[in-house]
Amino acid sequence: MSMVPYNRYMEPTILHPKYSSIAISGRPGAGRSTLLQNLRPILSPLGWETFSGGEWARQFAIQVGKHNPDDPKHHKATDYGDEIDHKIDLEMRQKVSDPKVHIAVESWIAGWNMRGLPHVLKVLLQCDDALRIDRVVNRDNLSVEEAKKHLQEREEANLKKWERMYGVSDFWDPKHYDLVINTYAHGPKETLALVLQKLGYNLV
């Protein structure tokens, strides 16, 4: 299927919708938040909700004081107990379990969490480490070395915890996903267009 680059003058119309919800996964810096933000003004007028697992967890960490006051934008899953991770994953899965509900969710492992739900479009965003680091450098005003350390520490801590909790380590195996996008090769607008087309919308 050929890709139609999205622009702000286009309006989505339903052709043959295959999915009623979207779950976006990927490592930090891969573009999850950007994709969710770009989907929001397109899908919200059509009755869609959006939910960020990362933002929910970040706000919880701040509320209970389980965050670094010098770096309130970030947290690790190890900042709180297993029950919080279970609560986030359960809430997201419950939100998308009803095929009549339209919602786009994002978290590191949202797509893996929605396995077995055929009405959910499971999207995996991949990106080269160099670009992920560069995005974190620009987004958070860090040095390259600080960004590398930041990503490494968060990923190692989170994955170690989730592997222990769930007994698996293949959260980002493409087999769990309906659509895999390399955000190094595809910019934000192209990524948005690919998701909308896979979802079953036509950009006209």
Side-chain angles (χ1 to χ4, degrees):
M1 177 175 59
S2 61
M3 184 187 71
V4 179
Y6 177 77
N7 67 61
R8 65 190 180 92
Y9 299 106
M10 293 178 173
E11 294 294 335
T13 58
I14 299 177
L15 280 182
H16 303 288
K18 302 175 183 178
Y19 307 94
S20 57
S21 289
I22 309 170
I24 305 165
S25 293
R27 287 179 163 88
R32 298 188 325 271
S33 297
T34 298
L35 176 56
L36 189 68
Q37 290 170 4
N38 289 340
L39 283 168
R40 188 173 289 126
I42 304 300
L43 296 181
S44 291
L46 301 174
W48 282 66
E49 300 177 56
T50 58
F51 180 84
S52 170
E55 182 58 31
W56 191 100
R58 186 178 304 112
Q59 292 303 318
F60 175 83
I62 292 173
Q63 290 173 11
V64 300
K66 296 291 187 178
H67 72 291
N68 181 351
D70 296 324
D71 187 20
K73 293 182 180 180
H74 304 110
H75 70 283
K76 297 190 292 292
T78 51
D79 291 338
Y80 37 78
D82 294 2
E83 70 280 1
I84 300 303
D85 288 272
H86 283 303
K87 180 179 177 62
I88 295 170
D89 292 343
L90 181 60
E91 282 197 8
M92 283 197 294
R93 189 172 175 93
Q94 288 177 334
K95 284 177 180 292
V96 304
S97 291
D98 185 351
K100 297 179 181 178
V101 173
H102 300 292
I103 184 169
V105 302
E106 72 84 11
S107 76
W108 288 37
I109 59 174
W112 176 85
N113 187 37
M114 305 310 166
R115 65 201 184 284
L117 298 178
H119 63 278
V120 179
L121 173 60
K122 293 168 277 293
V123 180
L124 174 63
L125 300 183
Q126 298 177 329
C127 187
D128 295 351
D129 287 346
L131 182 55
R132 292 198 303 122
I133 291 169
D134 184 65
R135 287 172 175 170
V136 172
V137 167
N138 292 308
R139 183 189 68 193
D140 299 335
N141 195 28
L142 300 175
S143 69
V144 172
E145 290 305 315
E146 287 173 333
K148 285 181 179 179
K149 181 180 179 181
H150 168 75
L151 287 175
Q152 182 178 3
E153 289 180 349
R154 287 185 70 201
E155 289 188 20
E156 288 181 353
N158 287 7
L159 288 176
K160 183 177 180 181
K161 179 180 182 180
W162 294 333
E163 287 175 12
R164 173 181 56 77
M165 288 174 55
Y166 297 115
V168 299
S169 60
D170 64 341
F171 301 108
W172 297 309
D173 190 318
K175 71 182 181 183
H176 299 304
Y177 297 86
D178 306 298
L179 179 63
V180 179
I181 303 174
N182 185 325
T183 59
Y184 177 83
H186 300 286
K189 291 182 179 179
E190 293 177 319
T191 299
L192 174 62
L194 286 169
V195 171
L196 289 173
Q197 289 181 342
K198 184 69 174 181
L199 188 62
Y201 284 83
N202 184 35
L203 299 178
V204 298

